[in-house]
Amino acid sequence: MAQSQTPDIIYTIVDEAPELARGSLLPIIRAFASAADIDVETRDISLAGRILATFPDYLQEDQRISDDLAALGELVKTPEANVIKLPNISASVPQLVAAIKELQGQGYAVPDYPAEPATDEEKKVRARYDAIKGSAVNPVLREGNSDRRSAKAVKEYAKKNPHSMGEWTAASKTCVASMPGNDFFANEKSATITAAQAGVAKITFTDAAGNETVLKDGLKYLEGEVVDATFMSASALRAFIKAEVASMEPGVLFSVHLKATMMKVSDPIIFGHFVSVYLEDFLAKHGDTVKALGFNPNAGIGDLEAKIKGNADLEADLAAALAAKPPMYMVNSDKGITNLHVPSDVIIDASMPAVIRAGGIGWGPDGKPADTKCCIPDNCYATVYDETINYFKENGKLDVTSCGAVSNVGLMAQKAEEYGSHPTTFEIPSKGTVRIVLASGEVLHEHAVETGDIWRSATAKKAPILDWIQLGIARTKATGKAAFWLDATRAHDAEIIKYVEPALKEAGIEIPILAPREATRFTLEEMVKGNDVVTITGNVLRDYLTDLFPILELGTSAKMLSIVKLMNGGGMFETGAGGSAPKHVEQLVKENHLRWDSLGEFCALGESFNFLAEAKGKTKAAVLGAAVDAATQKILENGNSPERKVGQNDNRSSHYWFARYWAEALAAQGDDADLAAHFAPIAKALAEKETTILAELKADEGKPADMGGYYHSDPAKIDAIMRPSATLNAIIG
Ligand SMILES: NC(=O)C1=CN([C@@H]2O[C@H](COP(=O)(O)OP(=O)(O)OC[C@H]3O[C@@H](n4cnc5c(N)ncnc54)[C@H](OP(=O)(O)O)[C@@H]3O)[C@@H](O)[C@H]2O)C=CC1
Ligand SMILES: O=C(O)CCC(=O)C(=O)O
Ligand SMILES: [Mg+2]
């Protein structure tokens, strides 16, 4: 992309609730920005958009769309990048299949998803779909490390307006259960690539008879890159699940917490083991029948129910099999959706904080709250949740009115660590040996594996590691307390520590390096004293902690400021630290109320304008940015954020207030007279027409809304739903 063509700001088209919110917010942003000659363009990274962009050869000429993700992936490597990135769907297989079906129904002849590809053609289609699945966007765009924190105004608001929190008592039976060994943590090997080792490498599998297959070719390791390899034993995992199901106490709910969306190869398989162990009696009897119907445990009990629908015998046996097991933690007890129904519902960064915020409570099949056993099979990070639960059992719930703010600096750039490891994760076909072999023939890592084991390799490059350490030091200096979350007894972390220790010495600063359990205790103790704390972590803990602490402190991670300082000088501003809130779409469709909170977008927008002012010397952008910050603060002070119920504030009315406060701040500022003059009448009109606009925005609430598609909705219908006030639209222009 030529420099002159790079838009000032790029806003992403995504999915679900944030995409609906975009329908209302982006026209306001564009109108305001154009007054300062700033262009805001969109790029489509939605699941439906990515499917369409991947299969032009299956589409009619006028149905084809550009590959915006690929173009953005290049843009983020340039200093001109200024991207506001909203959360997008990281699709599980059931979501991908549903999106394909919807597109086909709309007349797009994209191919079916081949569940079991047999022909060469099917294998090719499957490979193209596999690239769309799971966390396919974030690793491509995140060309920088992560800096996530709450803006001061947001934190102060939360202290003064504490959200509800469940009580924690020492008697709670809620706990975390993890494998006794033979997991990713225990089996990990790690090495830092030397100058002599740098270059191409491959991953091979040799079966018991000595036949070698190449699992992955063309890997390229740079000097200083930390290369890990590890596996989880399938038999040890199944033994663990069986033991945990068998040892359930009465009245306690059973649950598993994984990240089947993001860790798209490993975690759906682990989820499938939970499903098949939980249903082992049913599958012993009917396994062949349901397999013939196309059931794969990795797709969950929901898929099984769909496949056996109408077969009364199978349905009765499934109900009996479920009833014979301990009660499950429910995703939605009203609809009978269990923890093992749909892999994409099992998202540890959202689910564990919700359990902890509620006081160690999950919801059971009877719709009643209960203590919950939380299975987190792998030990790499399970200790964080275990220690958090221990802490609250000992000390009672967090006092939101006095606790400090916990922020995070996360090693994320260039697909750091297991977060980006999808192409180098494999389910092992038979007993044998997996090796990473360097160009010289040297074997870097080697593991003896068994059928079904999940083997993966992940890497972290030197430049991102060094950048992350410096960012951690800078944020520590700006904040106060901090720790590096690294476990000297874990192979990968031990290699990273070799970078951290000399860098700290050179910087003349002391920051403790603590294993995740100790770091959790340290952080909780400091925050409870009222101190602000930086957690300096790897990529996965970045994800987990930027939901955990905000959900405890602020009630939600939606209000986080998420800055990605791109390594080549550009900026990416992620909105919030959460996802795309499918529950919110359900509510909109049912009763036309959207409770998505755009505070994360407001924070990102302010940062993006400020960055634009610095990067391109656009002084008007700085004025717009300062006014965004003022408007955001007023939204908080005046309680204009969305609420849960029909008739209350929702996303659209919140955007009206945002536009009004933004215009008022621009009209009132003295730095740019043109902008002040331009926005004075807009601010006046917005204030004068307040009653009319709010009434127009609320007129259709309480009735169903038709989006014209879930994954690929109709833009005209979304526009009508999200911009129902003719008065507001006319003022915004
Ligand atoms: N950066 C990214 O691109 C990310 C994408 N995802 C994707 O998002 C999808 C859903 O993920 P899930 O783990 O369920 O997490 P979500 O964060 O989407 O949902 C969890 C809950 O958080 C609350 N919430 C989150 N954001 C907001 C907001 N802006 N305003 C108000 N409430 C909010 C809602 O709870 P309630 O309404 O009950 O208060 C919501 O139901 C998945 O496809 C996942 O892959 C997930 C994380 C990050
Ligand atoms: O990439 C994903 O799938 C999820 C991202 C996420 O949850 C996060 O970055 O907080
Ligand atoms: Mg997350």
Side-chain angles (χ1 to χ4, degrees), residues 519-541:
T520 303
R521 174 74 53 168
F522 165 81
T523 303
L524 285 163
E525 283 175 349
E526 289 298 337
M527 83 184 290
V528 164
K529 283 187 226 159
N531 294 324
D532 294 344
V533 192
V534 193
T535 63
I536 311 172
T537 70
N539 210 349
V540 172
L541 280 180

Side-chain angles (χ1 to χ4, degrees), residues 121-174:
E121 179 56 27
E122 283 172 353
K123 283 179 190 159
K124 277 189 206 148
V125 168
R126 172 64 183 261
R128 288 163 86 179
Y129 273 130
D130 280 348
I132 299 171
K133 231 163 52 184
S135 191
V137 170
N138 286 325
V140 174
L141 299 186
R142 290 172 167 172
E143 272 291 318
N145 290 310
S146 164
D147 172 2
R148 284 184 178 176
R149 50 194 141 104
S150 51
K152 213 175 161 56
V154 171
K155 177 66 180 175
E156 288 310 314
Y157 173 84
K159 280 180 156 179
K160 285 192 207 124
N161 303 277
H163 58 89
S164 70
M165 287 256 260
E167 294 293 339
W168 268 100
T169 68
S172 168
K173 289 182 179 150
T174 293

Side-chain angles (χ1 to χ4, degrees), residues 449-463:
V449 288
E450 308 274 340
T451 309
D453 289 356
I454 307 164
W455 185 95
R456 77 165 181 231
S457 174
T459 82
K461 295 187 171 57
K462 178 177 175 178

Side-chain angles (χ1 to χ4, degrees), residues 295-359:
F295 170 65
N296 176 344
N298 299 6
I301 294 176
D303 184 59
L304 177 60
E305 284 180 349
K307 297 239 151 75
I308 65 170
K309 205 174 164 83
N311 183 326
D313 290 346
L314 287 180
E315 285 180 336
D317 272 8
L318 177 60
L322 286 171
K325 292 285 181 197
M328 244 190 282
Y329 159 101
M330 303 298 280
V331 168
N332 186 331
S333 54
D334 295 342
K335 293 190 178 162
I337 300 174
T338 70
N339 178 226
L340 295 179
H341 258 62
V342 187
S344 50
D345 282 344
V346 181
I347 307 191
I348 183 170
D349 52 338
S351 60
M352 283 305 297
V355 168
I356 295 170
R357 179 182 53 186

